[in-house]
Amino acid sequence: MHEISVCQALLTQVAASARQHGAEAVERITIEIGALSGVEPSLLLDAFSVMRSGSIASGAELMIETIGVSVSCLTCGARTETQANRLVCAACGGFRTRVISGDELRLRRIEMRVPGL
């Protein structure tokens, strides 16, 4: 379950940002996970609920936004939405496509409690 290592990296990045801003606590973390990222959102939530303990994010909520798969067709030039297991052009059916979105794993937002603000 590589979600544990993903969660460790996420918490390390969040803790560094919290230190940089002088936060006393992290209240919410929002991330984007693409369907092709290889990360299972439910497993990441499970890992987060355990691994946040004892960290500056111990009371934080993890919000996950899922990103669908978009491709650009190299044959007809269309940009279309598709399924993770079917990376073909929805316009012409061509199989020569390039992934535009859907492989992301991105930290979008950290909400912190900072003294004096």
Side-chain angles (χ1 to χ4, degrees), residues 81-93:
E81 299 288 317
T82 189
Q83 300 298 315
N85 60 349
R86 188 164 165 77
L87 301 177
V88 298
C89 177
C92 74

Side-chain angles (χ1 to χ4, degrees), residues 51-68:
M51 301 202 57
R52 69 182 174 177
S53 179
S55 75
I56 194 162
S58 62
E61 177 182 17
L62 179 63
M63 304 296 296
I64 297 176
E65 299 172 357
T66 55
I67 305 297

Side-chain angles (χ1 to χ4, degrees), residues 28-32 45 48 61-65 111:
R28 180 176 291 130
I29 301 165
T30 304
I31 62 173
E32 289 180 343
L45 281 170
F48 181 78
E61 177 182 17
L62 179 63
M63 304 296 296
I64 297 176
E65 299 172 357
E111 296 177 32

Side-chain angles (χ1 to χ4, degrees), residues 19-35:
R19 275 192 307 276
Q20 180 182 19
H21 290 90
E24 53 187 31
V26 173
E27 297 177 344
R28 180 176 291 130
I29 301 165
T30 304
I31 62 173
E32 289 180 343
I33 297 178

